[in-house]
Structure formats: structure tokens, C-alpha cells
Amino acid sequence: MLSKIDDIDLQVVTLQKHCEELGDFPSDETLVAIKNLYLCAIQEAERIKKSPQDIYTIAISVRNLFEINMISLYLKRSDEIINQWYGQLLKDVLDVQEGLILLFSKHGVHNSNLELAREQTINSGLRNGVAKSKPFNIKSIAKKLGWEEDYDAIYKLCSKIVHPSSVKVNLPNAFEKNDEYIGSLVHVAIHYMYLIVEGAKHKSV
């Protein structure tokens, strides 16, 4: 019988193989987007392997694996959704740059390097015909795809572990003391890795 880590390894190897096989297809925006999501899933699985007793790391990876599964399924629906995804890439970079510029400015610091980087990002978007898009609403996507109950469960569970919730602040390490919590979270991670791998097997991308 496979251990949890062995099971994660199996999913990682299978997904890595699929990513390699994608190299045989003509590259397009959809293929690149899906492949990058698969590579991100592999990174999340590797984090769990490196920290199998860190419930904080596992909880973040579980949430991210769920989102990767939702987004990968959603992107395969239409070219319009793919265009929105790349538009989010532009907005994400600008949000980080503008957030830092705003914080520095509030405290009287002028950062010309960040402002130059922001201008370069804007110009890059214009050159490539990419318009900023609002980020996906994962809850809305989950509802459209029939995964709303999973969404509610994942976010209820992971938010208590990841954010400074009352239980995390007042009872630190409460969940780590019981291996059942960690083991259950790892099982959830394996479940979503399996779904991602199965989606990779049964789709052209």
C-alpha cells in the first residue's frame, strides 16, 4: 500500500510526464496556460513533500490545488476565458507595482525604479494587445462547474489554519498536535492532485 508521500510522488511523476508530452503539440496560448497550471500544481505537491508535518504549508497548498483544478477546467471552456486569464496576468503585475508605489508614496518615499517598471508593464500590454481583466471569482467558477460544496469546505477549513483566526491565535499548534488533521489534509491534497492529473489525461491539453 502506498504511503501518502508515495501517492503524491506518483501524481507528480504522472503530471510531469504529461507536461513533457505537451511539448509535442504546437504551442498556443491555451496550451501554455494549462501547462503552467500543471507545473504550479507540481510545485504545490513538492511543498507538501518537503514539509509533511507543517499544517500551515499543507493548508495553503490544498487551497491552491483546489483553485488550480478549478481554473484548469474553466480555461478549457473558451478562448474568451483564456484571454481573460492573460489579462489578469497584466493586472496582477500592475497591482503589485502600484501597491508598492502607493505604500512608498504614503510614507514620503519616491521609488523611480518601480514607476519605470510600471510604465514598462503598461507599454508591454499595449504592444501585445493585452487588456487588464478582473481576477476570476473562484467561488463563482466552482458554482458554474458544480464544485460549490468543495469550495465552501476548502475555504472554511483552510482559512482557520492560514489566517490569524481565533483558534490559531489562542490555541497555537492545536491542529498539529493531532496527526489526524494533518493526515486528512494531505489526503485532500492527494485527491485534488489526482483530479488535476485525470483532467490532464483526458483532455487534449
Side-chain angles (χ1 to χ4, degrees):
M1 184 176 179
L2 292 175
S3 70
K4 295 185 186 73
I5 298 302
D6 288 338
D7 206 343
I8 290 174
D9 265 330
L10 178 62
Q11 306 304 329
V12 166
V13 169
T14 305
L15 200 51
Q16 284 174 331
K17 182 179 179 181
H18 186 72
C19 286
E20 292 170 4
E21 291 171 350
L22 289 178
D24 298 330
F25 291 84
S27 183
D28 61 27
E29 291 181 342
T30 301
L31 185 144
V32 171
I34 297 297
K35 182 178 179 180
N36 286 342
L37 280 165
Y38 292 160
L39 291 172
C40 189
I42 291 170
Q43 290 177 341
E44 295 299 340
E46 293 290 352
R47 287 192 184 97
I48 295 174
K49 285 169 55 183
K50 289 178 182 176
S51 306
Q53 296 300 314
D54 184 349
I55 197 167
Y56 178 83
T57 297
I58 297 168
I60 292 175
S61 290
V62 163
R63 185 186 64 187
N64 288 347
L65 287 169
F66 172 75
E67 290 192 5
I68 290 167
N69 186 44
M70 291 296 96
I71 294 170
S72 64
L73 292 173
Y74 192 54
L75 291 185
K76 294 172 184 177
R77 287 192 155 196
S78 73
D79 290 340
E80 181 183 354
I81 295 172
I82 287 289
N83 291 335
Q84 291 173 6
W85 180 240
Y86 283 111
Q88 289 173 45
L89 173 58
L90 175 61
K91 187 177 188 304
D92 289 346
V93 175
L94 285 172
D95 281 350
V96 171
Q97 293 168 338
E98 291 171 353
L100 288 170
I101 290 170
L102 180 61
L103 283 173
F104 277 117
S105 177
K106 183 179 179 181
H107 295 282
V109 178
H110 176 74
N111 192 312
S112 58
N113 289 332
L114 280 173
E115 292 181 356
L116 176 61
R118 177 180 60 182
E119 290 306 311
Q120 291 173 337
T121 301
I122 292 170
N123 290 333
S124 176
L126 292 172
R127 283 196 308 272
N128 292 286
V130 178
K132 291 193 298 182
S133 296
K134 293 181 180 179
F136 289 147
N137 183 308
I138 299 298
K139 183 172 184 176
S140 176
I141 291 174
K143 187 174 182 178
K144 289 177 182 177
L145 299 177
W147 291 80
E148 190 172 14
E149 289 185 359
D150 283 63
Y151 172 89
D152 290 340
I154 289 295
Y155 280 82
K156 183 180 292 186
L157 164 67
C158 294
S159 66
K160 301 303 179 186
I161 297 171
V162 172
H163 301 301
S165 60
S166 182
V167 67
K168 182 177 179 180
V169 172
N170 294 304
L171 296 174
N173 304 317
F175 296 116
E176 288 93 327
K177 292 175 182 177
N178 188 334
D179 287 342
E180 189 62 31
Y181 287 114
I182 293 175
S184 296
L185 265 180
V186 173
H187 272 301
V188 174
I190 293 169
H191 171 67
Y192 288 117
M193 270 298 289
Y194 173 80
L195 292 174
I196 292 166
V197 169
E198 286 303 298
K201 285 180 182 177
H202 296 107
K203 299 288 182 182
S204 59
V205 290

